[in-house]
Amino acid sequence: MNDQTQILERATAAFLGLALGDALGATTEFMTPGEIRSKHKVHRKIIGGGWLGLKAGQVTDDTEMSLALARALVQRQGWSLPQIADNFVAWMRGKPIDIGSTVRKGLRMYMTSGCLEVPLNEWDAGNGAVMRMAPVALVTLGDSELLQQCALQQARLTHHHVLSDAACITVGKMVQTAICGCDRFELHALTRELTSQYPNFRFNKYQGQASGYVVDTLQTVFHYIFSSASFEECLIGVVNQGGDADTTGAIAGMIAGAFYGLDALPRSWLKRLDGQVRKEIEEITPRLLSLSPLARNL
Ligand code: MN
Ligand code: MN
């Protein structure tokens, strides 16, 4: 398999991994590990349900917003923040099954003011901007400076907080590094880059907090990425931690998908994943890569 094929496969696995984590984790969202144990023993199948009453394989806002962002890039054949904002608004107007309060507030502000950046806000340290990072990592592949700019721009449409900003950049870098083929030491080095600047994110003494607070979210994701040996094991660990399980699942899924590759995604999960979503991800991923600096430099 040549490099280009490997990159395409890992990129596809990152985007599909996000959707799989979302669909798997939505079942246990807002549950405690104890509640999950008594109901499922170990939650390891895509069965839907959860507080949203989903069909098996149905995805939520994490995947839907990522696709809305990805479509904007294809529509404009490159980065366009206004198009991304318009697609988010169109998505919100379509009455999504779920939407975060910070996301709603940010998009409302855009609708009334046309402003593409919400003001700095100490309450915006949720994980709602990080969950949309997969397409940003793909379209900026090959240029880490561009990744950082685009990560912050898309984040601040709805979230403006130093910890959200830092988390978006780190997750984007981890996805890109994994897509280009790296070992787990290189992946771990990126977490140390983050924790040296923001010690809040340290996860060596993981306490089991898996809320939507971006620090809890990334600690959960990092803990399971570095204490598991496969995509499946990582994702099962993450979603059985409960809390914001669909979003921790989505973020772990994009990193672990890129790291372990397409063949590591469980066939039974892929079969259950919403067919339309799977098809769109498989079609849009090569298009995003073709817009990236990496493709232009080939
Ligand atoms: Mn969600
Ligand atoms: Mn969530």
Side-chain angles (χ1 to χ4, degrees), residues 26-227:
T27 306
T28 54
E29 190 180 20
F30 301 133
M31 293 172 78
T32 65
E35 288 167 349
I36 297 167
R37 256 193 312 276
S38 61
K39 188 159 183 201
H40 302 281
K41 287 195 184 131
V42 177
H43 172 51
R44 52 168 65 247
K45 288 191 180 136
I46 294 185
I47 54 170
W51 73 284
L52 292 169
L54 300 171
K55 288 177 280 194
Q58 194 176 350
V59 297
T60 72
D61 52 343
D62 311 65
T63 306
E64 288 172 353
M65 291 197 86
S66 297
L67 280 170
L69 195 159
R71 282 179 213 126
L73 305 174
V74 171
Q75 281 167 271
R76 292 304 171 108
Q77 288 293 292
W79 190 256
S80 166
L81 196 59
Q83 188 66 57
I84 293 169
D86 288 343
N87 286 14
F88 284 171
V89 167
W91 165 77
M92 181 168 74
R93 287 199 165 126
K95 304 225 185 311
I97 185 142
D98 189 20
I99 179 168
S101 57
T102 308
V103 167
R104 185 191 300 275
K105 201 172 94 204
L107 296 181
R108 285 235 172 98
M109 198 203 80
Y110 169 68
M111 287 164 73
T112 51
S113 72
C115 182
L116 291 163
E117 181 174 311
V118 295
L120 199 61
N121 183 340
E122 63 170 312
W123 303 107
D124 286 359
N127 57 22
V130 186
M131 72 188 193
R132 312 187 293 240
M133 278 303 298
V136 182
L138 301 188
V139 82
T140 61
L141 197 65
D143 186 341
S144 65
E145 193 55 44
L146 188 64
L147 166 71
Q148 304 202 23
Q149 285 171 23
C150 294
L152 297 186
Q153 281 187 19
Q154 76 81 16
R156 291 175 185 174
L157 284 172
T158 55
H159 294 63
H160 194 168
H161 190 284
V162 285
L163 297 178
S164 166
D165 286 354
C168 284
I169 290 172
T170 296
V171 168
K173 281 187 190 170
M174 289 174 84
V175 170
Q176 288 192 340
T177 305
I179 286 174
C180 294
C182 72
D183 59 31
R184 54 179 67 231
F185 300 102
E186 288 169 79
L187 220 47
H188 197 270
L190 292 168
T191 69
R192 289 198 304 277
E193 221 174 78
L194 176 68
T195 54
S196 66
Q197 207 180 352
Y198 300 101
N200 298 21
F201 287 103
R202 289 170 67 163
F203 59 99
N204 48 343
K205 292 185 187 118
Y206 179 60
Q207 298 293 320
Q209 304 296 320
S211 79
Y213 175 44
V214 71
V215 172
D216 289 350
T217 300
L218 284 207
Q219 285 175 333
T220 302
V221 168
F222 293 163
H223 170 76
Y224 283 105
I225 281 183
F226 295 106
S227 63

Side-chain angles (χ1 to χ4, degrees), residues 29 244 246-247:
E29 190 180 20
D244 197 358
D246 61 325
T247 308

